[in-house]
Amino acid sequence: TRYALRKVASGGPKVYWWAINKISPLASERFNELMAHAEAAGVAIDFLAIHSEAKGRGTMKMRIDARQREIDDHPLKDETIFVTIITHKTLIDHYLANVSGIILIDEPVQVWEQRHFDFPTSFRTIRELIEPVDVGEDYDSDLNATIEADTQAVRLTLTDAGRDEVNDEARKRDTISSSYRWILDQADKSSGRVFALAEQWNSLDDPEESALDVVALLHPKHIAHFDECWMMAAHFEELIICQLWSELYDVEWRFHEITDGWKRIIPLRDRVTLYYVLENRNVSDTYLNNRGDPKRRRAMALAVKEFFGDAPCIWSVGESHRDSGDYNCLPTDVIGADGHCH
């Protein structure tokens, strides 16, 4: 990251899109670091962080497209360094085909997104819009939608009806269609990236077994159009995105050795035991805020307290939630192995 910050400040007029895991607080941290390098180099940087909270300003994709138009129309484009902060999730949710420049992916990007759906009465609609690849000759979405697969998961693609619906502007605003719109949008981006369990697909017409877990993979095609793509992470060859893209899509990686960079001697997995409170979903601000009801925050704090008992532990939560008082049952001072208070 330090190398990339210096590279941006000293590399001359260019357009950079900087993808991070979460806008707050990383965007402000990157801004402060970047501006310090810019000041030292005597250059000016046009900086913008596009937050996920739209607040009436349009979707992430709309605001990213607007930022690209602003850059293209800038009277001093050829003399300006542009840096725009976006999120990893944006890369999965949207195909930024209209965006150009250099993409910097800060820390390992999540290579997939999984969502859970229930279609107890609308399963026929789903089967009309998407279907597994390589179905048998006797496959029929209404009469015989059962498939036989050699793998546990099968790839889903759009049917002709699905492609028509994806391109129907009115459908994009339709409330009923929005319940499954994400699946269609993901399947429309490129081939080979949307999967579901074959067993679940075969059971959609069973009211008791109508669940469908859909996984969308980040495809290399979605960033291949950028002038350059940099990924920044420690032990990169061990990450799933490196292994998955290498094996599935034959991506070739060019590694850049940073001579003055900081290198972790012992990986995090060998230094600590990391626990997650929720198994099947992210702990977002929306989830914790719970419309002002503190019970989720307090329940999490109590679960951690009961799990560790009096044993020392280091816990982490957003500053606004920490100051709410709902985590008071957890220790605020921990004496580490070095004898210091943390």
Side-chain angles (χ1 to χ4, degrees):
T1 301
R2 296 189 191 99
Y3 174 83
L5 290 167
R6 294 196 301 267
K7 181 180 176 68
V8 170
S10 62
K14 288 185 177 69
V15 177
Y16 295 93
W17 301 87
W18 196 305
I20 58 179
N21 183 46
K22 191 175 183 181
I23 291 292
S24 180
L26 288 179
S28 60
E29 293 177 2
R30 294 295 176 266
F31 173 80
N32 293 332
E33 294 167 335
L34 187 58
M35 291 308 164
H37 285 287
E39 183 177 357
V43 298
I45 294 179
D46 187 316
F47 181 94
L48 176 67
I50 300 183
H51 292 256
S52 57
E53 294 83 6
K55 297 180 180 178
R57 297 191 299 272
T59 66
M60 289 286 288
K61 180 65 165 58
M62 292 170 58
R63 284 177 286 151
I64 289 172
D65 288 343
R67 171 64 166 171
Q68 181 67 60
R69 290 192 296 270
E70 174 189 313
I71 293 172
D72 291 338
D73 296 339
H74 197 285
L76 299 176
K77 178 183 178 182
D78 295 335
E79 304 173 22
T80 307
I81 300 173
F82 296 92
V83 177
T84 307
I85 300 289
I86 59 176
T87 63
H88 291 172
K89 189 174 184 297
T90 301
L91 296 178
I92 296 181
D93 286 348
H94 305 287
Y95 180 24
L96 306 181
N98 299 326
V99 175
S100 60
I102 298 172
I103 180 77
L104 302 170
I105 300 178
D106 198 342
E107 294 298 326
V109 63
Q110 181 75 357
V111 74
W112 72 80
E113 181 175 356
Q114 177 175 328
R115 294 194 183 184
H116 179 82
F117 298 87
D118 279 299
F119 301 114
T121 59
S122 58
F123 63 89
R124 288 188 177 85
T125 300
I126 298 304
R127 285 177 169 170
E128 288 177 1
L129 301 174
I130 56 175
E131 66 181 7
V133 297
D134 300 328
V135 295
E137 294 182 359
D138 59 343
Y139 178 87
D140 185 284
S141 61
D142 290 322
L143 303 177
N144 182 26
T146 301
I147 59 172
E148 295 182 3
D150 297 329
T151 56
Q152 186 178 13
V154 293
R155 181 161 61 91
L156 302 177
T157 58
L158 292 174
T159 62
D160 291 339
R163 279 185 283 273
D164 290 341
E165 181 154 332
V166 164
N167 296 317
D168 188 333
E169 293 298 322
R171 286 280 191 173
K172 294 179 180 180
R173 302 187 299 272
D174 187 89
T175 302
I176 294 178
S177 298
S178 65
S179 63
Y180 53 78
R181 182 76 198 187
W182 181 83
I183 302 177
L184 303 187
D185 286 340
Q186 297 299 327
D188 182 51
K189 288 180 182 177
S190 63
S191 62
R193 66 179 314 272
V194 181
F195 298 85
L197 295 176
E199 181 180 3
Q200 289 185 331
W201 181 265
N202 290 339
S203 302
L204 277 178
D205 53 357
D206 184 344
E208 302 298 325
E209 301 287 343
S210 58
L212 191 67
D213 293 300
V214 180
V215 175
L217 298 180
L218 177 62
H219 197 286
K221 178 181 178 181
H222 298 151
I223 59 174
H225 66 282
F226 285 96
D227 299 334
E228 298 177 23
C229 176
W230 291 75
M231 290 192 182
M232 300 170 283
H235 305 281
F236 186 78
E237 291 177 294
E238 300 177 17
L239 299 179
I240 190 168
I241 189 169
C242 178
Q243 299 176 19
L244 191 66
W245 280 15
S246 299
E247 295 179 10
L248 284 184
Y249 306 120
D250 297 323
V251 170
E252 295 183 7
W253 306 93
R254 298 176 182 175
F255 291 89
H256 183 80
E257 293 294 333
I258 303 174
T259 56
D260 60 342
W262 171 81
K263 186 175 183 179
R264 182 179 293 131
I265 303 301
I266 304 176
L268 180 66
R269 66 172 181 268
D270 297 333
R271 291 184 284 124
V272 302
T273 301
L274 191 61
Y275 296 95
Y276 291 90
V277 178
L278 293 183
E279 181 179 1
N280 295 317
R281 63 163 297 158
N282 294 327
V283 183
S284 64
D285 283 348
T286 301
Y287 179 85
L288 289 175
N289 283 327
N290 195 25
R291 299 180 180 178
D293 189 343
K295 66 180 181 181
R296 287 178 178 169
R297 295 192 294 267
R298 294 175 181 175
M300 286 188 175
L302 184 60
V304 173
K305 173 65 176 176
E306 293 177 348
F307 180 83
F308 284 102
D310 295 328
C313 66
I314 298 175
W315 56 279
S316 173
V317 72
E319 186 175 358
S320 61
H321 299 296
R322 182 197 65 194
D323 296 338
S324 67
D326 297 322
Y327 299 87
N328 287 343
C329 65
L330 297 175
T332 55
D333 298 316
V334 178
I335 304 300
D338 56 3
H340 295 117
C341 181
H342 297 272

